[in-house]
């Protein structure tokens, strides 16, 4: 397989950007920017998430099974970049960002337009990112969305011509 063509073709798959959070006020909190996310079922509502195996969010997701997928708005590239590296939790904030708590105990970034509460149902352990199949157990919408909901989110292409993941 030609590596250049492989990268080009796989980068044609559109990616949103999200911050995945796990843990609770009484435990370790982990977070990371992720982009390999897709809905896989209506009933029950399921999402599949690709999570890097050597990350703190992988360890937390595997242990607790309770997560929140924070959906970033179109103008929130700064959040995507902020969570590319570990972010400490202190005094109700993950780094510079205030958090609220989902019903499952995981943190929600207060500034995001929407969030999805998740329960891990299965982990497919293949490759350098494992696939977490998660059931949607709650949803949060913090502001009205005008137009198509998928036009309101931050896409990989929105944060720079030379920023890629995948391929």
């Amino acid at each position: 397989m030609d590596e250049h063509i492989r990268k080009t073709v796989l980068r044609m798959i559109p990616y949103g950007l999200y911050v995945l959070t796990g843990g609770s006020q009484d435990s370790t909190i982990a977070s990371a920017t992720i982009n390999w996310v897709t809905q896989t079922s209506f009933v029950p509502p399921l999402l599949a998430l690709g999570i890097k195996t050597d990350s703190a969010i992988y360890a937390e997701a595997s242990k607790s099974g309770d997560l929140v997928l924070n959906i970033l708005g179109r103008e929130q590239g700064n959040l995507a970049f902020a969570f590319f590296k570990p972010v400490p939790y202190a005094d109700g904030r993950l780094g510079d960002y205030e958090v609220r708590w989902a019903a499952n105990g995981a943190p929600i970034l207060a500034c995001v337009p929407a969030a999805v509460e998740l329960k891990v149902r299965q982990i497919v352990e293949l490759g350098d990112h494992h696939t977490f199949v998660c059931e949607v157990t709650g949803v949060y919408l913090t502001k009205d969305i005008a137009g198509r909901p998928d036009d309101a989110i931050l896409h990989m292409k929105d944060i720079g011509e030379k920023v890629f993941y995948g391929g």
Side-chain angles (χ1 to χ4, degrees):
M1 179 178 350
D2 180 293
E3 293 299 307
H4 176 72
I5 293 172
R6 177 185 58 84
K7 280 188 175 190
T8 299
V9 170
L10 292 178
R11 286 177 174 171
M12 293 173 81
I13 299 168
Y15 295 113
L17 286 167
Y18 313 89
V19 173
L20 186 64
T21 54
S24 70
Q25 287 176 294
D26 303 323
S27 71
T28 302
I29 292 178
S31 58
T33 298
I34 67 168
N35 68 322
W36 289 338
V37 176
T38 192
Q39 184 173 352
T40 63
S41 173
F42 290 119
V43 181
L46 299 174
L47 301 183
L49 317 173
I51 304 176
K52 195 167 190 249
T53 58
D54 64 354
S55 65
I57 193 65
Y58 180 94
E60 184 57 41
S62 300
K63 182 178 77 174
S64 76
D66 294 318
L67 302 168
V68 167
L69 184 70
N70 294 273
I71 299 173
L72 304 185
R74 184 172 285 285
E75 303 300 323
Q76 293 185 307
N78 59 325
L79 261 83
F81 283 110
F83 288 89
F84 280 156
K85 61 186 181 319
V87 175
Y89 173 76
D91 301 321
R93 300 178 80 76
L94 265 171
D96 294 331
Y97 304 97
E98 181 183 346
V99 299
R100 297 179 318 212
W101 303 100
N104 69 3
I108 299 172
L109 297 173
C111 61
V112 299
V116 183
E117 183 179 317
L118 301 168
K119 181 68 173 174
V120 174
R121 295 296 180 209
Q122 186 171 353
I123 304 170
V124 180
E125 296 180 347
L126 294 171
D128 59 0
H129 287 63
H130 290 173
T131 303
F132 283 66
V133 178
C134 301
E135 185 172 351
V136 174
T137 57
V139 292
Y140 304 85
L141 187 62
T142 60
K143 67 177 190 172
D144 290 333
I145 303 298
R148 287 182 56 112
D150 56 350
D151 282 340
I153 71 159
L154 180 67
H155 293 91
M156 180 72 70
K157 66 182 180 175
D158 297 329
I159 63 171
E161 265 186 51
K162 301 202 184 275
V163 179
F164 293 103
Y165 199 76

